[in-house]
Amino acid sequence: MALVPSSSVDPPIIPEVEMNGSDLGASTVRATVVQASTVFYDTPATLDKAERLLAEAASYGSQLVVFPEAFIGGYPRGSTFGVTLGNRSVKGKEEFRKYHASAIDVPGPEVDRLASLAGKYKVFLVMGAIERAGYTLYCTVLFFDPQGQFLGKHRKLMPTGLERIIWGFGDGSTIPVYDTPVGKIGSLICWENRMPLLRTALYAKGVEIYCAPTADARETWQASMTHIALEGGCFVLSANQFCRRKDYPSPPDYIFSGLGEEPSPETVVCKGGSVIISPSGTVLAGPNYEGEALISADLDLGEIVRAKFDFDVVGHYSRPDVLSLTVRDHPQDPVLFTSASKTESSEKQLVMNPF
């Protein structure tokens, strides 16, 4: 493993690279997980930072770059949004207004910029973002290809704890796996990775490069990531932010709760732990708990087949005669207008039978 220290002037992110060889074969993919903090409440500055990180990852030959959960829009760590049971404070509502303003529309201009960046640096890009759909926010992962195309999204199916007061719930229509030249790419976010049936849905779609953006920096997270790599016979790429208190707005505009006293500006409030794990459960790079970093490894896709020979969870090691899973993968729209469909049907009939 090679660590390149940052310089004193305009320092690059510390790259942490563990490579399996100097030459990449057709079945080898160089992947990078980004461990870095959002510029909170400043989405344009966060997008600028994302470009710097992408440029640096591309300079190391990365073909796939994965960013943390909620990198665009921010993970509001320590905030309560003024919520107590039966009440929401005026200050908390204003805090949500600012958070809503930092989120992005999908599609929208920020998505267009991310697509252009993926095309500019010729990488597959997996980006954590807070998606704004009207007045509801979703914790979302966005997928882009090296041709600068937006492929689609995954909305977090199950927000955790207090996240449920600020984020909506995804449905089965956004659990994609994309078949790409570098492998079949899919993603689940943070603790939904602990949902066995949801993981099984990805396995059934053939995921080979399993991206797990997260906000969980605890050491127990590493056990979950290793288990998923072994269970799914896939590469697991987990990206988390590394944040200090100073990366968030200062008090009294932003109050950190749950830590006792207000932490000092240099206090680490999320220590990262980003990691890349092979289908055999071998840690290829990371976990890093030291600071912002680019964590990279070469993925030998042949390892997937070797791992599946031992255990194929939805293949030769499944028992559909005993256990099965049904996934409702159509959109769960809260309102359906039947008159619209009737109008469309009538218009078609008029075109077919004008007299």
Side-chain angles (χ1 to χ4, degrees):
M1 181 177 296
L3 291 176
V4 182
S6 59
S7 61
S8 58
V9 179
D10 195 19
I13 300 303
I14 303 172
E16 178 180 338
V17 184
E18 181 167 327
M19 296 301 180
N20 301 327
S22 57
D23 297 322
L24 296 183
S27 64
T28 304
V29 175
R30 184 162 294 178
T32 294
V33 293
V34 173
Q35 180 165 288
S37 173
T38 302
V39 184
F40 210 80
Y41 285 158
D42 194 337
T43 297
T46 301
L47 288 166
D48 290 342
K49 183 173 184 177
E51 178 166 11
R52 293 194 299 272
L53 293 162
L54 272 175
E56 192 167 353
S59 74
Y60 300 126
S62 294
Q63 298 159 275
L64 168 65
V65 183
V66 181
F67 277 75
E69 176 180 12
F71 185 78
I72 306 296
Y75 188 85
R77 190 175 300 276
S79 178
T80 66
F81 287 88
V83 172
T84 55
L85 196 61
N87 185 59
R88 287 154 298 282
S89 71
V90 172
K91 184 177 184 300
K93 291 180 180 181
E94 173 59 16
E95 188 173 353
F96 181 77
R97 185 199 63 77
K98 291 189 289 186
Y99 189 54
H100 181 272
S102 299
I104 64 173
D105 296 326
V106 180
E110 294 84 3
V111 174
D112 292 343
R113 182 176 178 191
L114 289 168
S116 69
L117 293 178
K120 178 180 179 179
Y121 297 106
K122 305 301 181 187
V123 297
F124 285 93
L125 171 61
V126 179
M127 174 63 73
I130 301 305
E131 175 191 358
R132 180 177 54 226
Y135 300 102
T136 295
L137 303 181
Y138 294 92
C139 184
T140 298
V141 167
L142 308 175
F143 300 86
F144 304 88
D145 71 13
Q147 286 70 51
Q149 299 295 313
F150 171 52
L151 299 177
K153 67 185 179 184
H154 164 62
R155 283 178 174 173
K156 193 172 189 177
L157 204 64
M158 191 65 196
T160 300
L162 207 63
E163 293 173 358
R164 296 172 197 168
I165 69 167
I166 56 171
W167 297 339
F169 292 58
D171 61 34
S173 68
T174 65
I175 313 176
V177 170
Y178 296 100
D179 192 355
T180 79
V182 299
K184 296 177 181 177
I185 301 171
S187 180
L188 298 181
I189 306 169
C190 206
W191 274 23
E192 63 177 2
N193 286 286
R194 298 169 68 170
M195 300 171 69
L197 300 183
L198 186 53
R199 294 199 306 269
T200 303
L202 279 195
Y203 301 152
K205 291 187 174 186
V207 66
E208 296 171 332
I209 301 177
Y210 185 118
C211 304
T214 188
D216 190 341
R218 298 172 304 167
E219 293 184 6
T220 53
W221 180 252
Q222 302 302 317
S224 292
M225 297 298 95
T226 300
H227 172 77
I228 291 169
L230 289 167
E231 178 182 65
C234 53
F235 289 95
V236 173
L237 283 60
S238 183
N240 194 6
Q241 298 194 31
F242 182 93
C243 307
R244 300 182 186 275
R245 174 62 184 90
K246 66 183 180 182
D247 293 317
Y248 288 83
S250 302
D253 292 334
Y254 193 103
I255 303 295
F256 251 80
S257 302
L259 297 178
E261 296 181 358
E262 172 69 21
S264 68
E266 294 299 324
T267 299
V268 175
V269 295
C270 182
K271 62 180 182 178
S274 302
V275 69
I276 300 175
I277 302 174
S278 79
S280 67
T282 301
V283 175
L284 301 178
N288 182 302
Y289 296 105
E290 302 303 317
E292 293 199 339
L294 297 180
I295 301 163
S296 301
D298 288 347
L299 315 182
D300 174 8
L301 300 184
E303 285 198 47
I304 297 170
V305 180
R306 293 190 284 271
K308 298 285 192 181
F309 179 60
D310 288 339
F311 186 84
D312 186 355
V313 67
V314 292
H316 63 76
Y317 226 94
S318 65
R319 284 294 305 276
D321 55 322
V322 180
L323 302 168
S324 63
L325 171 65
T326 300
V327 179
R328 285 176 280 277
D329 59 356
H330 55 281
Q332 300 291 323
D333 297 318
V335 180
L336 296 174
F337 293 95
T338 58
S339 60
S341 61
K342 288 179 180 177
T343 300
E344 291 174 3
S345 177
S346 299
E347 289 174 350
K348 289 179 181 178
Q349 289 179 9
L350 285 171
V351 170
M352 295 176 63
N353 301 290
F355 301 107

